[in-house]
Amino acid sequence: MSQVGQRERQTQNRIVQLFQQQLKYRYLGDWHDRPNNSNIETEILTAFLRDKQGYSNSLITKALYELNKVAGDQSKSLYDINKQVYSLLRYGVKVKEEVGENTQTVWLIDWEEPLENDFAIAEEVTVKGENTKRPDIVIYINGIALGVLELKRSTVSVSEGIRQNLDNQNSIFIKSFFNIMQLVMAGNDTEGLRYGTIETAEKYYLTWKEDTYSDIENRLDRHLLQLCDKTRFLEVIHNFVVFDCGVKKLCRHNQYFGVKAAQVYLSRKEGGIIWHTQGSGKSLTMVWLTKWIREYNPNARVLIMTDREELDEQIEGVFLGVNENIYRTKSGQDLITQLNNTTPWLLCSLIHKFGRKDSNAEQRGYDNYIAQLKSSLPQNFQVKGDIYVFVDECHRTHSQTGKLHKAMKEILPHALFIGFTGTPILKKDERNSLEIFGEYIHTYKFDEAVTDKVVLDLRYEARKVEQNVTSQTKIDQWFEAKTRGLTEQAKTLLKQRWGTMQRVLSSKSRLSKIVGDIILDFETKDRLQSGRGNAILVAGSIYEACKYYELFQAADFTKCAIITSYDASEKSIKGESTGNDERTQKLQQYEIYKKMLNGKSPEKFEEEVKEKFIKSPAQMKLLIVVDKLLTGFDAPPATYLYIDKTMRDHGLFQAVCRVNRLDGEDKEYGYIIDYKDLFKSLEKSVKDYTSEAFEDYDVDDVDGLLSDRLEKGRERLEETREAIKALCEPVEPPQDTPAYIRYFCGDNNKPDSVQDNQQKRVALYKYTSALVRAYANLSNDMVQAGYSTAEIDTIKQEVKHYEQVRAEVKLASGDYIDLKAYEPAMRHLIDNYIGAEESETIATFDDMTLVELIVKRGADAVNALPQGIKQNKTAVAETIENNLRKVIIDQQPTNPKYFEKMSTLLDELIQARKTASQEYQAYLQKIVELSKQVAQPSSSSEYPQSLNSPAKIALYDNLNQDEVLALAIDEAIRKTKKDSWRGSIIKEREVKNVIKQHLDSLEDVERIFEIVKSQSEY
C-alpha cells in the first residue's frame, strides 16, 4: 500500500517495479537524458524481426521503411496516420524481398503467440517536438511504442494526467509521437487507471472493471495488472480497436467480456442472449463479435435482423462507418436470394413493420413475413456458408412468438442465433426467450452502467395537472343546442361519444398548463436555459402533438418541432369536411402539421430538425414526439424527457433511457418529468421498481433505474457543501480575503509558489462549480427537500461566499483568463441563482489580464478588483505581484536574460514593501512601471532603435547586447525559416545551421535556438 499523499515519483517507482516483477516487462531504463528517443526503436524491432521471427535483413529493411514512411507522414492528420499504422500492425507489412518475387507479410507483432513478443517499458522518455515533453512511462512492444502512461500523486485528479496526454497530442508538443500509439492511459492511487486512445476526449476515458486480483487493494496496481497483462494488452489492440467515422475507439469492459463470453458459446456451437443496457455500446459489441467470427471461421456469414426501419438503417451505418461492407436486403425474397449465394458474407435484414397497438395486426405481420420467406425458397435452395444470426432487440421479435424462430430454423437449420437486447426481458417472455436463444451469455445492467459512468443516472419527478368540468350547465346547453331534431336514441349514441369529446375539449386547458410548465423549466433550469441542453415531449397522439406545437408557437416558444410518422397526405383528410366552419381533429392536425413543414418534405424537415437538436440545441430546444425517436440507438440524446402518454414495459424503459446519455461535463443527470403518473406514487416507485409501470420485470433487472429527485438532490447538495468546507478548512482564521489568497496562491515571495498551489486552486474551482450546480438544481424546491427557512438562508450565503472566494482567488493567482474552469453554462447559473455582483465585477476587466489592465489604466486598475481584495492593501499588492510573477514565468523562455532581470526587480519591490520601506502609493507607481516593462519590453528607451521587435530584443539581450550580431542572426533566420518549421526535423536543422554560422559555442547555439523557437514572429 502507498503512503497517504505520496509524491508522484514514489508512485512511479512502484509502478515500474510492478511492470518488471509482476507483469514481467523488460526495463529499458530512465530515458530522461537519452538522445533521439522515438516511437519506433529500430534496433529493438530489428532484433525481434531477425532473431524471433526469422526474417531476412532485406525484408526487415523494407518493412521498416514502409512503417517509418507511414508513421512519419506529416501531411495527414493524427487519426489518418494512426489508422494506417494500425493496419500495418494488425495485418502485417506486405513487401517483396526482390523485384518480381512474391509478396510476403512481415509481422511486426506475433499475434498468434503473444508471449513471444518483447514487452518492455521505459520511463521519463524525453521526446523532442515543437516543445519537448516527457511521458512518465512508455510501453514498447518489439520496440514499437504502443502504450503511454501518465501518473499523478494520490491527491491530484487523474483528469490532470488525461489532459496532459491530450496536450501532448497537439502539434505544438509531441503529436507525431502518438502516430503509432494504441492505449493512452493516466492513473493515480486513489482513482486507479483511466484509459483511452488517440484523441479520446476526457469524458470518454474508461475504467477497467473485472473480478481478478481482488486481493490487491490499490486500484492503480489492480487495473494495470488486469489491462496490461501481456496477453490482454495485445488482445485489446488486436480484437477491440475500431476506427468509427473519424473517431478511434477502444472497448469498454462490458463489451470485452460480452464478446469473450460469446466466443466461448459460439466455439461450442451454442447461441444465447447478450443483454447490455441502453447506451452501453451494443452496436460496437456486434461489430467486434462479427469481426472475430469472420477471422475465427473464414466460412462464416453473419446476418443481423431487426424489426424497425430506423434500426436497420442504423446498423448499416455503424458497419459502414467502420469500413465493413454490409448488404442491406430489400425484401424477404431478396434475403433468400442472398443466402442462396456465396456472397455477401455480412447482411442485415428488416423482419417487418408491425403496429404495436394492434396485436392482431402484429401477428399478421409475423405470419405474412414467414409466408413470404417460405414462398421465396427456390427448388434448389441451399444456404451457403456457416450462418450466424444476430437478432437485435430480441425481446420484441422472437420472444413474442416462436413462429418466426421456427421458420428461420427451417430455412437456416444449422444457424447459430445470438439475441441482443438493451432492455430487461419481461418475466412472461423470459422463459420463451431462453428456450429460443439459449441462456444469458453476458449481462450488463443499468445500475452497473451508471456506476461505471457509461450512462448517467436518472432523476424522476411526477407532476399532476388537475382537470375538472368548469360549467356542467353550459355543457348541457351546448349539447341541447347542437342536437335539436335528433331522436333520443341518436342523442344517447352521441352522448356515448361525448364522453370522449369532453375529455378532449377539457384537455386543451390541461395541455396549456403543461406548455407553461415546460416553458418555465426552459427559463429556470440551468442546462435548458443555457442552451446546452434540450428536451423531448412525448404526446399521446398525433392530434395532441399538433395541439402542443400550436400552443408553444402561440407562446412565442418557436424553437420546437414535431417528429412523427404521421402521413400528412390528402388521403389522411378524405371525408373530413363537414360543410361548416368547424374543423375535425384530423383537419386541425393536418393544417398545423403542414404549416410547420412550410413546403418541405417530412423527410427533409425531420433530417434538418434532428441535426439542429443534436448539434445546436439552442436553435432546436424541444422535439414533440409520439412514437419516433424513443427506441433504438438512433435516438438523439436529451436532458429532459416529458411524458404525457401512457407507456409500459420496453417502450417506457427505452424512452426513459433517451436522457441517460453522456453529453458534456455540465450534464450530471437525465430528468424524467411524468405527467401521466406512470409510476403511480413516487414513494412506491422509489422503493419498488417493479410496481405498476415496471411490474412485469424482475426487481434486480431494473434496479437503480429511477431515483427520487429531491432525495438525491439533497444528498448531492450536502456532499458538495461538505467537500468545499473540508477543502477550505486549513485556511487560517479569520478566513478573510488575504487568508484565502495565502492558502490558495502561496507566498508571493517565492517565484514558484503560485504554480505549486495550482492543484488546490483547481480543486476550489471544481468544488465551487459543483456546489453552485447542486444548489441550482434544488433551489426551487428547498422546502420540499426538507430544509428550514434558516437553513435555506445559510446555504444561500455559503454558495455566494464560496463563489466570491473563487472569483478572488482566480484574480489573485492570475488564473482568471484560464476559462477552462468557467463553463459557459455556469456563468448563467451563477447570474440566475446567486445574483449579478460577481459578473459586474469581472465585466470590468473586459477579458483583459490584470497586468494588461495595469498597463492600460495604471494605478486606477486597482478599482477593478473585487471589493474583498481592494479594501485590503496587502491583498491588492499580493494579487498584482502574483499576476506579474505569472507573466514573467510564462514569458521567460522568450527572453531569459530580460525576464530574469524583471524577476529580480519584482523580488526587490516585494521585499521593500514587506519591510515597510516603500510607501503604498509609491509602491503602486513602481509596480505599474514594472508591469509596463514586463508586458512591453520593446517599449523601453534602453534599446537601440534598430531593435524594433521583441525577437530582435531577445537576441540582443541574450548575446551580450551585441547589436550587430543580433541583427545578423535575425536577418538570417527570417531568410531561412520555412512555414511550419517547428516540429520538422529538417526545417529546424536549417534554422539551427544558420545560427551556428554566427556562433562558435555549440552550447550557445542550442541556447539561442530554444529562444528563437519561442518567438511568435518567427
Side-chain angles (χ1 to χ4, degrees), residues 6-18 30 122-125 135-137 149-151 189 220:
Q6 71 172 5
R7 300 195 68 81
E8 181 183 315
R9 181 67 253 180
Q10 294 173 281
T11 301
Q12 186 166 319
N13 290 341
R14 192 188 77 251
I15 296 305
V16 167
Q17 287 186 344
L18 179 142
D30 183 327
E123 60 177 325
E124 299 298 326
V125 180
D136 292 335
I137 293 177
L149 171 61
E150 288 294 343
L151 296 169
D189 286 337
L220 178 58

Side-chain angles (χ1 to χ4, degrees), residues 601-645:
S601 70
E603 295 76 18
K604 181 66 174 174
F605 179 81
E606 179 176 332
E607 180 185 340
E608 291 177 359
V609 163
K610 282 172 65 176
E611 184 174 13
K612 278 187 181 180
F613 186 76
I614 296 169
K615 296 182 179 178
S616 307
Q619 300 303 313
M620 185 52 61
K621 299 178 178 181
L622 176 72
L623 295 185
I624 306 166
V625 305
V626 180
D627 289 317
K628 294 192 80 170
L629 306 188
L630 294 180
T631 60
F633 40 59
D634 71 323
T639 305
Y640 278 73
L641 179 72
Y642 297 94
I643 303 177
D644 190 29
K645 176 185 179 179

Side-chain angles (χ1 to χ4, degrees), residues 742-915:
R742 280 195 301 275
Y743 181 69
F744 286 105
C745 303
D747 185 350
N748 63 355
N749 210 19
K750 299 177 181 177
D752 296 330
S753 187
V754 172
Q755 187 67 27
D756 291 343
N757 286 280
Q758 182 177 344
Q759 296 306 323
K760 287 195 291 190
R761 295 197 302 279
V762 168
L764 173 68
Y765 306 154
K766 179 181 177 181
Y767 289 170
T768 305
S769 296
L771 173 66
V772 176
R773 193 155 51 224
Y775 171 70
N777 286 335
L778 205 60
S779 61
N780 294 333
D781 305 298
M782 296 287 280
V783 175
Q784 294 90 323
Y787 288 105
S788 66
T789 303
E791 288 173 326
I792 293 171
D793 289 340
T794 298
I795 292 171
K796 281 183 180 178
Q797 291 303 315
E798 287 177 0
V799 173
K800 188 171 184 176
H801 169 75
Y802 287 115
E803 219 300 302
Q804 289 174 333
V805 168
R806 179 176 72 170
E808 293 181 351
V809 169
K810 274 195 170 187
L811 291 168
S813 63
D815 285 343
Y816 169 66
I817 57 168
D818 179 12
L819 299 179
K820 179 175 63 178
Y822 265 112
E823 304 167 17
M826 293 305 300
R827 183 66 271 135
H828 152 71
L829 185 150
I830 291 156
D831 290 344
N832 193 53
Y833 293 103
I834 308 301
E837 181 179 333
E838 189 216 354
S839 64
E840 290 176 2
T841 301
I842 290 180
T844 311
F845 282 82
D846 296 325
D847 289 334
M848 299 171 67
T849 66
L850 180 56
V851 173
E852 289 171 339
L853 197 67
I854 290 171
V855 171
K856 182 179 179 182
R857 291 172 50 179
D860 287 344
V862 172
N863 295 323
L865 293 168
Q867 197 69 22
I869 294 179
K870 68 183 180 183
Q871 288 179 342
N872 186 297
K873 292 180 179 180
T874 301
V876 169
E878 291 182 349
T879 298
I880 295 173
E881 289 158 5
N882 284 332
N883 277 264
L884 200 52
R885 179 78 70 190
K886 188 174 191 295
V887 173
I888 290 171
I889 292 171
D890 290 345
Q891 294 298 316
Q892 187 90 14
T894 66
N895 193 336
K897 292 285 186 182
Y898 182 82
F899 286 102
E900 183 180 336
K901 183 170 68 174
M902 293 297 105
S903 182
T904 302
L905 290 174
L906 179 60
D907 290 339
E908 292 172 355
L909 203 52
I910 292 172
Q911 191 59 38
R913 175 181 63 80
K914 290 190 172 182
T915 57

Side-chain angles (χ1 to χ4, degrees), residues 449-621:
V450 170
T451 301
D452 293 341
K453 298 181 180 179
V454 169
V455 296
L456 297 173
D457 203 354
L458 297 172
R459 293 289 179 263
Y460 172 79
E461 179 180 348
R463 294 180 184 175
K464 191 172 184 180
V465 180
E466 294 287 353
Q467 290 178 264
N468 53 67
V469 177
T470 57
S471 176
Q472 187 63 49
T473 302
K474 290 185 178 180
I475 289 173
D476 293 340
Q477 289 175 350
W478 185 90
F479 183 78
E480 289 300 324
K482 291 294 182 181
T483 57
R484 287 194 189 103
L486 291 182
T487 64
E488 288 303 314
Q489 184 179 8
K491 287 185 178 182
T492 301
L493 290 172
L494 191 55
K495 280 187 176 181
Q496 289 175 352
R497 175 165 179 166
W498 171 249
T500 304
M501 290 296 293
Q502 184 180 22
R503 285 195 294 273
V504 172
L505 289 174
S506 64
S507 73
K508 181 178 180 182
S509 172
R510 178 177 176 278
L511 297 185
S512 297
K513 293 281 196 305
I514 293 173
V515 166
D517 221 14
I518 293 172
I519 291 175
L520 179 63
D521 282 350
F522 271 92
E523 291 295 327
T524 59
K525 302 299 183 185
D526 176 64
R527 203 163 192 273
L528 295 181
Q529 203 283 340
S530 69
R532 289 176 56 79
N534 50 24
I536 293 175
L537 167 60
V538 188
S541 65
I542 301 293
Y543 172 76
E544 286 186 18
C546 291
K547 292 302 289 183
Y548 267 128
Y549 177 79
E550 189 176 50
L551 289 167
F552 277 115
Q553 298 300 306
D556 287 331
F557 188 89
T558 57
K559 293 174 181 177
C560 66
I562 307 168
I563 299 293
T564 77
S565 52
Y566 171 49
D567 176 19
S569 62
E570 283 69 19
K571 66 180 180 181
S572 69
I573 55 172
K574 186 178 180 180
E576 290 295 311
S577 298
T578 61
N580 55 35
D581 293 335
E582 295 176 348
R583 297 172 302 156
T584 63
Q585 285 190 30
K586 286 188 177 180
L587 278 172
Q588 289 183 56
Q589 70 188 33
Y590 174 82
E591 291 170 4
I592 295 170
Y593 193 76
K594 293 293 280 188
K595 184 177 180 181
M596 178 188 71
L597 293 179
N598 195 26
K600 295 178 181 176
S601 70
E603 295 76 18
K604 181 66 174 174
F605 179 81
E606 179 176 332
E607 180 185 340
E608 291 177 359
V609 163
K610 282 172 65 176
E611 184 174 13
K612 278 187 181 180
F613 186 76
I614 296 169
K615 296 182 179 178
S616 307
Q619 300 303 313
M620 185 52 61
K621 299 178 178 181

Side-chain angles (χ1 to χ4, degrees), residues 107-132:
W107 293 96
L108 304 173
I109 297 173
D110 188 343
W111 299 112
E112 293 185 1
E113 298 292 339
L115 299 181
E116 292 301 310
N117 293 282
D118 176 32
F119 291 80
I121 62 164
E123 60 177 325
E124 299 298 326
V125 180
T126 298
V127 181
K128 291 185 178 180
E130 186 168 330
N131 288 283
T132 298

Side-chain angles (χ1 to χ4, degrees), residues 74 976-984 987-988 990 1018:
Q74 296 187 24
T976 305
K977 70 179 180 68
K978 295 176 180 176
D979 288 340
S980 304
W981 64 275
R982 293 175 181 84
S984 168
K987 294 177 182 179
E988 284 190 2
E990 291 173 347
Y1018 292 142

